[in-house]
Amino acid sequence: MSRVFINEWKRAINTSTILAVIGVMFCICFDSWNDLVSAMQSGNPVWCVYYFISNSAFGGMCKNYILPVFAALPFAASLCEDRSSKAVAYIASREGMRRYGAVKYIVNILIGGLVVASGTVLLMLFLRIRLQMTSDYYGASAESAADLFHKWLAVHYPVLYCVTEAALGFMRGMLWAGASLLVSLYIRDKFVITMFPFLGSYVIVKASQIASLDANWRFDQILIGRTVIHNSGYTVMAAAFVSGILVFLMGVYFTERLARGLRDGMFYESK
């Protein structure tokens, strides 16, 4: 299993991975681009790293809809590539059907999570070169650990704030990368597979609005850092628990469905 894992991991670390990390950074920036330009030019102390991260979570179109696409960019279409190159039969016969599917799924969710987490952390470090982590405005108002957007953590424990944002980003990246790989079981178009998180995010937001769901309890709002359940620690634990269940269920379904398809011969055809 280690051999196929190493081979798949090498495939996942490619030019698309680097572009995806940069894309994540720009997605968060673009939600406050004019403010960011002003901050870099003026050096006004009112601007801070926390402002740009929280503003992207609160009203950002790029972070909500476009950022998840970059989680799927490096590896979610790898099954489609294997089918096109007729490598599926060879790899599955050599490594085993379920092992092949499990490794592909694990590598995919790991690289998807790392892309989002790395992009988030690198952006925060880059902004920190010119800006302070929080301004006096946020420090004066962060009196409770239950503040929205993890404000209290950003003011009192900035390193843990960075870890929290990275952890939530990692979970979000895993989920959308895994979902895109599931789509590749049924769709052969690489563009559609990669762009599925965009459509999926839109559907989730619209369905939640139609159902009038409380934004404070929506899982998608938790993962973008907009909602805090009691405090940041509970929020991360709750997000990890739910994400773990969803990732596991998707992985089981993907592995079993792929193995069944391989037995039936449906993944062996190039067209």
Side-chain angles (χ1 to χ4, degrees), residues 17-222:
T17 305
I18 299 174
L19 294 177
V21 172
I22 296 174
V24 169
M25 297 173 65
F26 274 96
C27 273
I28 300 174
C29 289
F30 282 147
D31 286 326
S32 308
W33 185 253
N34 291 334
D35 291 339
L36 180 61
V37 172
S38 176
M40 292 301 177
Q41 292 177 345
S42 67
N44 192 320
V46 71
W47 303 115
C48 60
V49 176
Y50 172 77
Y51 168 80
F52 293 104
I53 302 299
S54 63
N55 189 60
S56 181
F58 181 74
M61 188 276 288
C62 293
K63 187 172 185 178
N64 274 311
Y65 301 109
I66 301 177
L67 187 149
V69 172
F70 292 105
L73 182 61
F75 204 62
S78 60
L79 177 60
C80 178
E81 296 172 354
D82 289 349
R83 294 174 67 180
S84 298
S85 64
K86 301 182 180 181
V88 173
Y90 172 72
I91 300 175
S93 62
R94 186 185 64 180
E95 304 295 342
M97 298 177 183
R98 285 186 173 82
R99 182 179 299 174
Y100 167 63
V103 168
K104 183 171 289 294
Y105 180 80
I106 292 171
V107 170
N108 178 59
I109 62 172
L110 287 179
I111 197 65
L114 287 173
V115 160
V116 180
S118 299
T120 302
V121 171
L122 287 175
L123 175 63
M124 296 175 78
L125 293 176
F126 172 76
L127 294 177
R128 187 64 184 84
I129 295 174
R130 292 291 304 274
L131 308 174
Q132 55 187 342
M133 181 59 71
T134 58
S135 68
D136 293 339
Y137 170 79
Y138 294 110
S141 60
E143 299 177 354
S144 170
D147 280 334
L148 292 177
F149 315 124
H150 308 282
K151 183 196 306 180
W152 183 87
L153 201 63
V155 171
H156 298 286
Y157 300 98
V159 174
L160 287 181
Y161 171 67
C162 293
V163 173
T164 298
E165 289 290 343
L168 294 175
F170 183 81
M171 298 173 206
R172 192 177 184 215
M174 282 200 308
L175 287 169
W176 282 119
S180 295
L181 189 60
L182 285 183
V183 171
S184 71
L185 289 170
Y186 306 99
I187 296 177
R188 299 289 304 277
D189 192 304
K190 293 173 61 176
F191 178 78
V192 174
I193 294 169
T194 304
M195 292 301 296
F196 173 76
F198 178 86
L199 176 62
S201 299
Y202 177 82
V203 170
I204 288 175
V205 170
K206 289 303 178 183
S208 299
Q209 292 174 348
I210 293 173
S212 300
L213 296 180
D214 187 348
N216 291 329
W217 295 98
R218 279 171 47 187
F219 190 55
D220 61 316
Q221 299 297 291
I222 292 175

Side-chain angles (χ1 to χ4, degrees), residues 145-147 149-150 164 167-168 171 216 218-219 221-243:
D147 280 334
F149 315 124
H150 308 282
T164 298
L168 294 175
M171 298 173 206
N216 291 329
R218 279 171 47 187
F219 190 55
Q221 299 297 291
I222 292 175
L223 291 183
I224 64 174
R226 179 171 178 174
T227 297
V228 171
I229 302 174
H230 186 59
N231 61 44
S232 298
Y234 280 106
T235 302
V236 172
M237 287 190 291
F241 178 75
V242 176
S243 296

